[in-house]
Amino acid sequence: MNEKLLVQIDSCDDCKKCIDVCPTYTVSEEDLFSPLARLKSAKQIFEGKKVSEKIVESMYNCPECARCDEVCPKHIKISEIIALARVELVERGFAPLEGHKKIINGIMEKGNSVNGDPENRLDWLPDAFEERESDTLLYLGCLPSYLVKETAKSSYLLLKAAGVDFRILADEGCCGVYLYDAGAIDQAREMFAENTRRFNDLGIKKIITPCAGCYRCFKRYYPELIEEADFEVLHVVEVLHELVKTGKLRFKTGDKVLTYHDPCRLGRKEGLYDEPRELLGACGYEIDELEENRAMGMCCGAGAGIRSIYRNLSMEIASNLLDEASETVVTSCPFCVFNMNYASRKKGKDTNVKYITEVLYEMCDLP
Ligand code: SF4
Ligand code: SF4
Protein backbone atom coordinates (compact mmCIF):
# COMPACT_ATOMS: atom_id res chain seq x y z
CA MET A 1 0.00 0.00 0.00
CA ASN A 2 1.14 3.51 -0.85
CA GLU A 3 2.80 4.87 2.33
CA LYS A 4 1.75 8.47 1.70
CA LEU A 5 -1.87 7.37 1.44
CA LEU A 6 -1.62 5.47 4.69
CA VAL A 7 -0.08 8.48 6.46
CA GLN A 8 -2.96 10.62 5.17
CA ILE A 9 -5.62 8.17 6.33
CA ASP A 10 -3.95 7.73 9.72
CA SER A 11 -3.79 11.47 10.27
CA CYS A 12 -7.56 11.46 10.83
CA ASP A 13 -8.30 12.29 14.48
CA ASP A 14 -11.97 11.30 14.37
CA CYS A 15 -13.16 14.90 14.78
CA LYS A 16 -16.26 13.98 12.69
CA LYS A 17 -16.46 17.40 11.00
CA CYS A 18 -16.78 15.71 7.61
CA ILE A 19 -19.87 13.74 8.59
CA ASP A 20 -22.27 16.69 8.86
CA VAL A 21 -21.54 17.96 5.34
CA CYS A 22 -21.88 14.62 3.57
CA PRO A 23 -24.99 14.40 1.39
CA THR A 24 -25.14 10.60 1.34
CA TYR A 25 -24.94 10.42 5.12
CA THR A 26 -27.56 13.16 5.53
CA VAL A 27 -30.00 11.36 3.28
CA SER A 28 -29.34 7.76 4.34
CA GLU A 29 -28.33 8.28 7.99
CA GLU A 30 -26.19 5.15 7.60
CA ASP A 31 -22.84 5.39 9.37
CA LEU A 32 -21.10 3.41 6.64
CA PHE A 33 -22.14 6.01 4.06
CA SER A 34 -20.24 8.81 5.82
CA PRO A 35 -16.79 10.16 4.83
CA LEU A 36 -15.19 8.98 8.06
CA ALA A 37 -16.45 5.42 7.65
CA ARG A 38 -15.44 5.44 3.97
CA LEU A 39 -11.95 6.53 4.97
CA LYS A 40 -11.63 3.64 7.40
CA SER A 41 -13.10 1.23 4.85
CA ALA A 42 -10.60 2.47 2.26
CA LYS A 43 -7.77 1.53 4.59
CA GLN A 44 -9.22 -1.97 4.92
CA ILE A 45 -9.47 -2.21 1.13
CA PHE A 46 -5.87 -1.03 0.58
CA GLU A 47 -4.60 -3.45 3.22
CA GLY A 48 -6.18 -6.35 1.35
CA LYS A 49 -8.54 -7.19 4.23
CA LYS A 50 -11.96 -8.81 3.86
CA VAL A 51 -14.47 -6.43 2.33
CA SER A 52 -18.23 -6.75 2.80
CA GLU A 53 -20.84 -6.01 0.13
CA LYS A 54 -21.96 -3.03 2.20
CA ILE A 55 -18.45 -1.57 2.17
CA VAL A 56 -18.29 -1.95 -1.60
CA GLU A 57 -21.65 -0.17 -1.80
CA SER A 58 -20.36 2.64 0.43
CA MET A 59 -17.45 3.23 -1.93
CA TYR A 60 -19.71 3.37 -4.96
CA ASN A 61 -22.64 5.38 -3.59
CA CYS A 62 -20.41 8.40 -2.98
CA PRO A 63 -20.73 11.05 -5.71
CA GLU A 64 -17.17 12.21 -4.93
CA CYS A 65 -18.53 15.69 -4.31
CA ALA A 66 -15.52 16.62 -2.12
CA ARG A 67 -17.54 18.57 0.44
CA CYS A 68 -15.81 16.44 3.08
CA ASP A 69 -12.36 17.45 1.76
CA GLU A 70 -13.34 21.08 2.11
CA VAL A 71 -13.98 20.90 5.87
CA CYS A 72 -11.37 18.37 7.00
CA PRO A 73 -8.99 20.19 9.37
CA LYS A 74 -6.31 17.61 8.56
CA HIS A 75 -6.64 18.34 4.82
CA ILE A 76 -7.26 14.69 4.05
CA LYS A 77 -8.33 14.26 0.42
CA ILE A 78 -11.13 11.88 1.33
CA SER A 79 -12.85 11.91 -2.08
CA GLU A 80 -9.58 11.12 -3.87
CA ILE A 81 -8.92 8.26 -1.46
CA ILE A 82 -12.40 6.89 -2.24
CA ALA A 83 -11.59 7.08 -5.99
CA LEU A 84 -8.35 5.15 -5.41
CA ALA A 85 -10.17 2.59 -3.28
CA ARG A 86 -12.48 1.95 -6.26
CA VAL A 87 -9.46 1.20 -8.44
CA GLU A 88 -8.27 -1.25 -5.79
CA LEU A 89 -11.75 -2.85 -5.63
CA VAL A 90 -11.61 -3.42 -9.38
CA GLU A 91 -8.12 -4.91 -9.09
CA ARG A 92 -9.33 -7.23 -6.31
CA GLY A 93 -12.32 -8.33 -8.43
CA PHE A 94 -15.12 -6.72 -6.34
CA ALA A 95 -16.04 -4.28 -9.10
CA PRO A 96 -17.15 -3.03 -11.60
CA LEU A 97 -20.61 -3.87 -10.27
CA GLU A 98 -23.32 -5.35 -12.52
CA GLY A 99 -24.86 -1.89 -12.98
CA HIS A 100 -21.49 -0.50 -14.08
CA LYS A 101 -20.96 -3.36 -16.52
CA LYS A 102 -24.23 -2.60 -18.26
CA ILE A 103 -23.25 1.04 -18.83
CA ILE A 104 -19.68 0.10 -19.78
CA ASN A 105 -21.00 -2.36 -22.39
CA GLY A 106 -23.21 0.43 -23.77
CA ILE A 107 -20.20 2.74 -24.02
CA MET A 108 -18.23 0.09 -25.89
CA GLU A 109 -21.08 -0.86 -28.24
CA LYS A 110 -22.82 2.48 -28.84
CA GLY A 111 -20.16 5.04 -27.99
CA ASN A 112 -22.23 6.71 -25.27
CA SER A 113 -23.06 6.16 -21.61
CA VAL A 114 -26.82 6.77 -21.85
CA ASN A 115 -27.90 3.98 -24.21
CA GLY A 116 -28.52 6.44 -27.04
CA ASP A 117 -28.84 5.35 -30.66
CA PRO A 118 -25.70 6.64 -32.41
CA GLU A 119 -27.88 7.42 -35.46
CA ASN A 120 -29.64 10.07 -33.36
CA ARG A 121 -26.58 11.71 -31.86
CA LEU A 122 -27.05 14.93 -33.79
CA ASP A 123 -30.82 15.20 -33.41
CA TRP A 124 -30.34 18.46 -31.50
CA LEU A 125 -28.38 20.13 -34.33
CA PRO A 126 -30.38 23.05 -35.77
CA ASP A 127 -28.33 23.12 -39.03
CA ALA A 128 -27.38 20.39 -41.48
CA PHE A 129 -24.16 18.73 -40.32
CA GLU A 130 -21.17 20.26 -42.01
CA GLU A 131 -17.84 18.39 -42.07
CA ARG A 132 -15.36 21.19 -41.53
CA GLU A 133 -11.81 21.56 -40.32
CA SER A 134 -10.91 23.48 -37.19
CA ASP A 135 -8.38 22.99 -34.40
CA THR A 136 -11.17 23.69 -31.90
CA LEU A 137 -13.59 20.93 -31.07
CA LEU A 138 -16.94 21.56 -29.44
CA TYR A 139 -17.29 18.28 -27.58
CA LEU A 140 -20.92 18.00 -26.49
CA GLY A 141 -20.87 14.86 -24.36
CA CYS A 142 -23.39 12.03 -23.96
CA LEU A 143 -25.99 13.80 -21.80
CA PRO A 144 -26.26 16.93 -24.00
CA SER A 145 -26.30 14.84 -27.19
CA TYR A 146 -29.11 12.53 -26.12
CA LEU A 147 -30.89 13.54 -22.93
CA VAL A 148 -30.45 17.27 -22.25
CA LYS A 149 -30.38 18.40 -25.87
CA GLU A 150 -31.10 22.08 -25.11
CA THR A 151 -27.59 22.15 -23.63
CA ALA A 152 -26.01 21.05 -26.90
CA LYS A 153 -28.17 23.26 -29.10
CA SER A 154 -27.83 26.48 -27.10
CA SER A 155 -24.07 26.05 -26.56
CA TYR A 156 -23.59 25.51 -30.29
CA LEU A 157 -25.78 28.48 -31.25
CA LEU A 158 -24.13 30.87 -28.79
CA LEU A 159 -20.63 30.01 -30.01
CA LYS A 160 -21.77 30.44 -33.61
CA ALA A 161 -23.46 33.76 -32.81
CA ALA A 162 -20.17 35.01 -31.37
CA GLY A 163 -18.26 33.92 -34.49
CA VAL A 164 -16.15 31.24 -32.77
CA ASP A 165 -14.40 28.91 -35.20
CA PHE A 166 -15.07 25.31 -34.13
CA ARG A 167 -16.07 21.89 -35.38
CA ILE A 168 -18.24 19.13 -34.01
CA LEU A 169 -18.02 15.40 -34.66
CA ALA A 170 -20.95 13.38 -36.01
CA ASP A 171 -19.54 10.29 -34.26
CA GLU A 172 -18.18 12.01 -31.17
CA GLY A 173 -18.10 8.93 -28.91
CA CYS A 174 -17.70 9.00 -25.13
CA CYS A 175 -14.97 10.77 -23.12
CA GLY A 176 -14.72 7.72 -20.82
CA VAL A 177 -15.21 9.48 -17.49
CA TYR A 178 -17.66 6.77 -16.43
CA LEU A 179 -14.92 4.14 -16.74
CA TYR A 180 -12.49 6.27 -14.74
CA ASP A 181 -15.06 6.94 -12.02
CA ALA A 182 -15.97 3.26 -11.80
CA GLY A 183 -12.32 2.53 -11.02
CA ALA A 184 -11.92 0.62 -14.31
CA ILE A 185 -8.67 2.43 -14.92
CA ASP A 186 -7.25 0.10 -17.61
CA GLN A 187 -10.38 0.44 -19.74
CA ALA A 188 -10.38 4.20 -19.13
CA ARG A 189 -6.75 4.43 -20.23
CA GLU A 190 -7.55 2.55 -23.46
CA MET A 191 -10.47 4.83 -24.28
CA PHE A 192 -8.52 7.99 -23.42
CA ALA A 193 -5.67 6.82 -25.65
CA GLU A 194 -8.03 6.10 -28.54
CA ASN A 195 -9.73 9.49 -28.28
CA THR A 196 -6.39 11.26 -27.93
CA ARG A 197 -5.07 9.57 -31.07
CA ARG A 198 -8.18 10.59 -32.96
CA PHE A 199 -8.11 14.21 -31.78
CA ASN A 200 -4.41 14.49 -32.56
CA ASP A 201 -4.97 13.04 -36.05
CA LEU A 202 -7.70 15.65 -36.60
CA GLY A 203 -5.34 18.42 -35.47
CA ILE A 204 -7.46 19.32 -32.43
CA LYS A 205 -5.67 21.72 -30.10
CA LYS A 206 -8.56 23.04 -28.05
CA ILE A 207 -11.63 21.29 -26.61
CA ILE A 208 -14.67 23.28 -25.50
CA THR A 209 -17.34 21.35 -23.65
CA PRO A 210 -20.60 22.16 -21.86
CA CYS A 211 -20.33 19.05 -19.65
CA ALA A 212 -18.63 19.41 -16.27
CA GLY A 213 -17.79 15.69 -16.28
CA CYS A 214 -16.19 15.73 -19.76
CA TYR A 215 -14.38 18.95 -18.79
CA ARG A 216 -12.77 17.45 -15.72
CA CYS A 217 -12.01 14.24 -17.58
CA PHE A 218 -10.24 15.91 -20.53
CA LYS A 219 -8.54 18.49 -18.34
CA ARG A 220 -7.34 16.31 -15.46
CA TYR A 221 -7.75 12.60 -16.11
CA TYR A 222 -6.48 12.47 -19.72
CA PRO A 223 -3.10 14.12 -18.94
CA GLU A 224 -2.84 11.94 -15.82
CA LEU A 225 -3.06 8.74 -17.88
CA ILE A 226 -2.00 9.73 -21.41
CA GLU A 227 1.22 11.59 -22.11
CA GLU A 228 0.13 12.77 -25.58
CA ALA A 229 -3.05 14.43 -24.27
CA ASP A 230 -2.10 18.10 -24.06
CA PHE A 231 -5.18 19.88 -25.44
CA GLU A 232 -6.33 23.16 -24.04
CA VAL A 233 -9.61 22.30 -22.30
CA LEU A 234 -12.26 24.92 -21.63
CA HIS A 235 -15.75 24.77 -20.22
CA VAL A 236 -18.23 26.65 -22.42
CA VAL A 237 -18.84 29.04 -19.54
CA GLU A 238 -15.19 30.14 -19.61
CA VAL A 239 -15.37 30.75 -23.36
CA LEU A 240 -18.62 32.72 -23.17
CA HIS A 241 -17.33 34.78 -20.27
CA GLU A 242 -14.33 35.84 -22.36
CA LEU A 243 -16.58 36.61 -25.36
CA VAL A 244 -18.72 38.91 -23.22
CA LYS A 245 -15.65 40.59 -21.76
CA THR A 246 -14.31 41.33 -25.24
CA GLY A 247 -17.69 42.56 -26.51
CA LYS A 248 -18.22 39.70 -28.99
CA LEU A 249 -21.37 38.59 -27.23
CA ARG A 250 -24.06 40.82 -25.79
CA PHE A 251 -27.28 40.14 -23.96
CA LYS A 252 -30.62 41.85 -23.61
CA THR A 253 -31.53 42.75 -20.06
CA GLY A 254 -34.11 40.80 -18.13
CA ASP A 255 -35.26 40.99 -14.52
CA LYS A 256 -35.68 37.39 -13.36
CA VAL A 257 -34.56 36.07 -10.01
CA LEU A 258 -33.00 32.64 -10.19
CA THR A 259 -30.83 30.29 -8.22
CA TYR A 260 -27.40 29.31 -9.49
CA HIS A 261 -26.26 25.83 -8.48
CA ASP A 262 -22.48 25.23 -8.37
CA PRO A 263 -21.72 21.82 -9.92
CA CYS A 264 -19.07 20.04 -7.81
CA ARG A 265 -16.80 19.36 -10.78
CA LEU A 266 -16.82 22.98 -11.91
CA GLY A 267 -17.03 24.81 -8.61
CA ARG A 268 -15.31 23.06 -5.76
CA LYS A 269 -13.00 21.06 -8.03
CA GLU A 270 -12.08 23.77 -10.57
CA GLY A 271 -12.91 27.08 -8.88
CA LEU A 272 -15.30 28.34 -11.58
CA TYR A 273 -17.65 30.34 -9.37
CA ASP A 274 -17.63 33.89 -10.73
CA GLU A 275 -17.84 33.26 -14.49
CA PRO A 276 -21.35 31.74 -14.55
CA ARG A 277 -22.66 34.31 -12.07
CA GLU A 278 -21.21 37.17 -14.11
CA LEU A 279 -22.76 35.76 -17.29
CA LEU A 280 -26.18 35.64 -15.65
CA GLY A 281 -25.55 39.11 -14.25
CA ALA A 282 -24.83 40.33 -17.81
CA CYS A 283 -28.45 39.39 -18.62
CA GLY A 284 -29.62 41.48 -15.67
CA TYR A 285 -30.59 38.41 -13.65
CA GLU A 286 -30.50 38.52 -9.90
CA ILE A 287 -29.10 35.45 -8.19
CA ASP A 288 -30.93 34.10 -5.21
CA GLU A 289 -28.03 32.19 -3.64
CA LEU A 290 -28.54 28.88 -1.91
CA GLU A 291 -27.51 29.02 1.72
CA GLU A 292 -24.65 26.67 0.88
CA ASN A 293 -22.94 27.91 -2.24
CA ARG A 294 -19.54 28.17 -3.95
CA ALA A 295 -16.95 26.07 -2.04
CA MET A 296 -19.70 24.54 0.10
CA GLY A 297 -22.23 24.23 -2.74
CA MET A 298 -24.44 21.19 -2.23
CA CYS A 299 -23.93 18.23 -4.56
CA CYS A 300 -26.85 17.32 -6.85
CA GLY A 301 -26.20 13.66 -6.08
CA ALA A 302 -25.62 12.40 -9.61
CA GLY A 303 -21.87 12.27 -10.14
CA ALA A 304 -19.15 9.60 -10.14
CA GLY A 305 -21.50 6.92 -11.42
CA ILE A 306 -23.86 6.83 -8.44
CA ARG A 307 -27.02 7.72 -10.31
CA SER A 308 -26.66 4.75 -12.63
CA ILE A 309 -26.81 2.36 -9.66
CA TYR A 310 -28.23 4.17 -6.63
CA ARG A 311 -30.88 6.28 -8.34
CA ASN A 312 -33.07 6.87 -5.30
CA LEU A 313 -30.18 8.13 -3.24
CA SER A 314 -29.27 10.53 -6.07
CA MET A 315 -32.86 11.69 -6.26
CA GLU A 316 -33.19 12.30 -2.51
CA ILE A 317 -29.99 14.39 -2.48
CA ALA A 318 -31.25 16.49 -5.41
CA SER A 319 -34.66 16.84 -3.83
CA ASN A 320 -33.20 18.26 -0.57
CA LEU A 321 -31.25 20.78 -2.61
CA LEU A 322 -34.32 21.93 -4.53
CA ASP A 323 -36.23 22.57 -1.29
CA GLU A 324 -34.11 25.68 -0.78
CA ALA A 325 -34.01 26.94 -4.35
CA SER A 326 -36.15 29.45 -6.22
CA GLU A 327 -38.51 28.32 -8.98
CA THR A 328 -35.81 28.46 -11.63
CA VAL A 329 -32.46 26.85 -11.01
CA VAL A 330 -29.61 27.34 -13.44
CA THR A 331 -26.45 25.27 -13.47
CA SER A 332 -23.45 24.55 -15.70
CA CYS A 333 -23.54 20.75 -15.74
CA PRO A 334 -26.02 18.80 -17.88
CA PHE A 335 -25.95 15.88 -15.46
CA CYS A 336 -27.03 18.18 -12.59
CA VAL A 337 -29.82 19.52 -14.86
CA PHE A 338 -30.96 15.99 -15.64
CA ASN A 339 -30.90 14.70 -12.07
CA MET A 340 -32.48 17.77 -10.50
CA ASN A 341 -35.29 17.85 -13.08
CA TYR A 342 -35.86 14.14 -12.46
CA ALA A 343 -36.10 14.78 -8.69
CA SER A 344 -38.39 17.76 -9.26
CA ARG A 345 -40.77 15.64 -11.37
CA LYS A 346 -40.71 12.59 -9.12
CA LYS A 347 -41.25 14.63 -5.97
CA GLY A 348 -43.99 16.79 -7.48
CA LYS A 349 -42.05 20.05 -7.13
CA ASP A 350 -42.41 23.05 -9.43
CA THR A 351 -38.71 23.71 -9.87
CA ASN A 352 -37.53 24.17 -13.41
CA VAL A 353 -33.83 23.41 -13.84
CA LYS A 354 -32.05 24.81 -16.87
CA TYR A 355 -28.59 24.60 -18.32
CA ILE A 356 -26.88 27.99 -18.30
CA THR A 357 -26.51 28.39 -22.08
CA GLU A 358 -30.23 27.78 -22.53
CA VAL A 359 -30.93 30.85 -20.39
CA LEU A 360 -28.15 32.87 -22.02
CA TYR A 361 -29.27 32.03 -25.56
CA GLU A 362 -32.79 33.26 -24.76
CA MET A 363 -31.22 36.60 -23.81
CA CYS A 364 -28.61 36.75 -26.57
CA ASP A 365 -28.69 40.03 -28.50
CA LEU A 366 -28.42 38.56 -31.99
CA PRO A 367 -27.35 40.86 -34.83
S1 SF4 B 1 -17.23 13.02 -1.39
FE1 SF4 B 1 -19.26 13.85 -0.80
S2 SF4 B 1 -20.62 12.06 -0.71
FE2 SF4 B 1 -18.51 11.30 -0.74
S3 SF4 B 1 -17.95 11.02 1.39
FE3 SF4 B 1 -17.28 13.09 0.84
S4 SF4 B 1 -19.00 14.43 1.36
FE4 SF4 B 1 -19.78 12.32 1.36
S1 SF4 C 1 -12.92 15.80 9.10
FE1 SF4 C 1 -10.96 14.82 8.57
S2 SF4 C 1 -9.97 14.46 10.56
FE2 SF4 C 1 -12.12 14.87 10.99
S3 SF4 C 1 -13.10 12.83 11.05
FE3 SF4 C 1 -13.32 13.59 8.96
S4 SF4 C 1 -11.53 12.75 7.89
FE4 SF4 C 1 -11.10 12.59 10.07
Side-chain angles (χ1 to χ4, degrees):
M1 184 188 165
N2 182 323
E3 277 307 307
K4 276 191 189 155
L5 214 55
L6 189 59
V7 170
Q8 233 197 115
I9 295 175
D10 286 345
S11 71
C12 168
D13 63 4
D14 280 359
C15 75
K16 298 188 172 57
K17 286 203 167 70
C18 53
I19 296 179
D20 292 340
V21 301
C22 175
T24 55
Y25 176 73
T26 305
V27 163
S28 68
E29 293 182 351
E30 286 220 34
D31 283 341
L32 256 187
F33 300 164
S34 75
L36 177 56
R38 287 184 176 116
L39 197 64
K40 293 187 190 284
S41 300
K43 187 173 174 186
Q44 260 178 267
I45 294 168
F46 294 131
E47 286 176 340
K49 294 197 175 136
K50 203 164 166 273
V51 177
S52 68
E53 251 182 55
K54 199 82 180 162
I55 283 183
V56 175
E57 181 180 351
S58 76
M59 287 296 151
Y60 279 103
N61 69 6
C62 158
E64 296 179 3
C65 69
R67 276 169 62 85
C68 48
D69 304 359
E70 204 63 38
V71 298
C72 176
K74 299 285 180 179
H75 307 293
I76 303 172
K77 296 275 174 219
I78 307 162
S79 62
E80 286 177 23
I81 290 170
I82 292 167
L84 291 169
R86 290 180 178 191
V87 176
E88 189 68 24
L89 284 173
V90 170
E91 274 173 20
R92 288 181 59 190
F94 288 100
L97 307 175
E98 283 313 307
H100 292 130
K101 286 182 192 160
K102 217 169 121 194
I103 307 273
I104 292 172
N105 288 342
I107 293 174
M108 298 308 176
E109 283 164 21
K110 298 184 171 178
N112 69 82
S113 59
V114 296
N115 198 29
D117 179 347
E119 290 292 310
N120 302 333
R121 180 175 271 279
L122 290 181
D123 272 4
W124 57 269
L125 186 64
D127 308 325
F129 176 70
E130 184 197 343
E131 193 70 74
R132 64 188 305 272
E133 303 228 334
S134 171
D135 63 4
T136 301
L137 173 65
L138 172 61
Y139 189 95
L140 281 320
C142 301
L143 263 291
S145 298
Y146 293 103
L147 301 179
V148 197
K149 294 179 191 169
E150 305 77 24
T151 298
K153 186 175 168 185
S154 53
S155 297
Y156 171 91
L157 287 172
L158 275 169
L159 293 176
K160 275 196 96 171
V164 177
D165 173 60
F166 67 92
R167 69 182 295 168
I168 57 171
L169 297 172
D171 53 349
E172 183 181 270
C174 176
C175 71
V177 71
Y178 188 88
L179 302 167
Y180 185 96
D181 282 342
I185 221 70
D186 291 338
Q187 279 176 295
R189 188 181 287 107
E190 266 176 48
M191 179 157 279
F192 293 1
E194 201 181 308
N195 281 336
T196 301
R197 260 194 307 276
R198 183 178 184 208
F199 297 161
N200 283 339
D201 287 349
L202 291 169
I204 303 297
K205 302 266 185 274
K206 188 195 281 188
I207 298 174
I208 302 173
T209 180
C211 177
C214 299
Y215 174 68
R216 182 138 175 99
C217 188
F218 286 133
K219 189 165 176 167
R220 306 287 172 199
Y221 306 157
Y222 272 57
E224 179 193 317
L225 297 185
I226 309 293
E227 207 180 308
E228 297 78 16
D230 66 348
F231 323 101
E232 182 186 4
V233 182
L234 295 166
H235 190 274
V236 72
V237 151
E238 293 175 283
V239 178
L240 297 176
H241 187 259
E242 189 58 29
L243 290 168
V244 170
K245 247 172 61 184
T246 51
K248 294 188 180 117
L249 201 58
R250 273 187 294 273
F251 300 111
K252 294 173 270 192
T253 317
D255 58 0
K256 265 192 211 158
V257 177
L258 37 81
T259 294
Y260 180 74
H261 161 72
D262 290 291
C264 306
R265 276 146 191 79
L266 218 60
R268 202 158 24 253
K269 297 199 178 182
E270 296 292 342
L272 282 172
Y273 300 119
D274 293 331
E275 291 84 347
R277 287 174 171 80
E278 284 173 15
L279 282 167
L280 294 168
C283 302
Y285 290 158
E286 188 188 322
I287 295 173
D288 173 25
E289 293 283 0
L290 291 164
E291 202 180 309
E292 294 183 301
N293 56 56
R294 296 186 177 242
M296 282 317 288
M298 180 45 86
C299 173
C300 84
I306 99 162
R307 193 180 184 279
S308 60
I309 302 181
Y310 308 104
R311 186 169 299 178
N312 278 342
L313 187 61
S314 284
M315 181 186 65
E316 294 297 340
I317 294 171
S319 173
N320 282 355
L321 194 167
L322 294 179
D323 283 343
E324 294 176 27
S326 39
E327 249 174 47
T328 306
V329 176
V330 174
T331 187
S332 305
C333 174
F335 206 13
C336 299
V337 172
F338 186 72
N339 194 43
M340 287 194 279
N341 272 329
Y342 176 83
S344 176
R345 266 196 326 274
K346 285 279 173 189
K347 295 278 187 174
K349 297 177 197 276
D350 293 327
T351 324
N352 185 11
V353 187
K354 292 184 165 187
Y355 187 78
I356 187 164
T357 52
E358 199 186 341
V359 175
L360 297 176
Y361 187 68
E362 283 166 14
M363 297 304 289
C364 184
D365 199 359
L366 295 167

